[in-house]
Amino acid sequence: MAIIITDECINCGACEPECPNTAIYEGGVEWRWSDGTSLTAVELEDGSVVEGDALQAPISDEFYYIVSGKCTECMGFHEEPQCAAVCPVDCCVDDPDYRETEEELLAKKDWMHDAA
Ligand code: SF4
Ligand code: SF4
């Protein structure tokens, strides 16, 4: 599963630079599939395609947030989720809405970083 940041976040910013997939953004900041990845275009579940460089609306305006579609639980890079490891208030927790197997997470990592 992906990791989610709860509303206990104190906006310290410690997690953001630790993410190997650039899946963490400051509240209110727009995100992109291409940040920290080699993604040039992404097909969404509804079949539509977005440019990797297109700016996406912030998922939270108040707290740091994680883009679930870019989070691999650090699989393929680290032994444990780095955001959770550095967070001083332990507010990076498993997201029950995004459950993925290890295989799926590793495939996601390859998809993000090996795309032509
Ligand atoms: Fe990024 Fe890893 Fe945290 Fe997911 S678990 S948001 S990949 S640092
Ligand atoms: Fe929020 Fe924790 Fe990230 Fe700090 S490390 S910004 S408290 S989620």
Side-chain angles (χ1 to χ4, degrees), residues 4-91:
I4 191 170
I5 293 173
T6 73
D7 61 8
E8 286 167 34
C9 171
I10 57 172
N11 290 317
C12 74
C15 53
E16 185 184 358
E18 302 299 327
C19 181
N21 300 314
T22 313
I24 304 175
Y25 293 82
E26 186 177 356
V29 170
E30 293 173 305
W31 65 276
R32 292 188 294 202
W33 288 102
S34 63
D35 291 335
T37 75
S38 51
L39 295 171
T40 54
V42 175
E43 184 174 347
L44 304 180
E45 280 180 11
D46 64 5
S48 62
V49 176
V50 295
E51 295 293 317
D53 287 339
L55 285 168
Q56 310 289 333
I59 293 169
S60 171
D61 286 325
E62 287 181 78
F63 307 107
Y64 275 73
Y65 65 86
I66 292 171
V67 178
S68 312
K70 297 179 76 179
C71 175
T72 62
E73 290 179 53
C74 286
M75 205 70 76
F77 293 100
H78 303 288
E79 292 286 310
E80 60 178 348
Q82 296 299 287
C83 50
V86 301
C87 181
V89 293
D90 294 332
C91 68

Side-chain angles (χ1 to χ4, degrees), residues 66-114:
I66 292 171
V67 178
S68 312
K70 297 179 76 179
C71 175
T72 62
E73 290 179 53
C74 286
M75 205 70 76
F77 293 100
H78 303 288
E79 292 286 310
E80 60 178 348
Q82 296 299 287
C83 50
V86 301
C87 181
V89 293
D90 294 332
C91 68
C92 302
V93 299
D94 293 337
D95 184 346
D97 290 337
Y98 285 91
R99 294 193 183 279
E100 296 156 292
T101 65
E102 185 172 334
E103 268 179 19
E104 287 170 330
L105 290 167
L106 287 171
K108 194 197 248 187
K109 180 247 176 192
D110 288 344
W111 168 70
M112 284 193 286
H113 297 285
D114 297 338

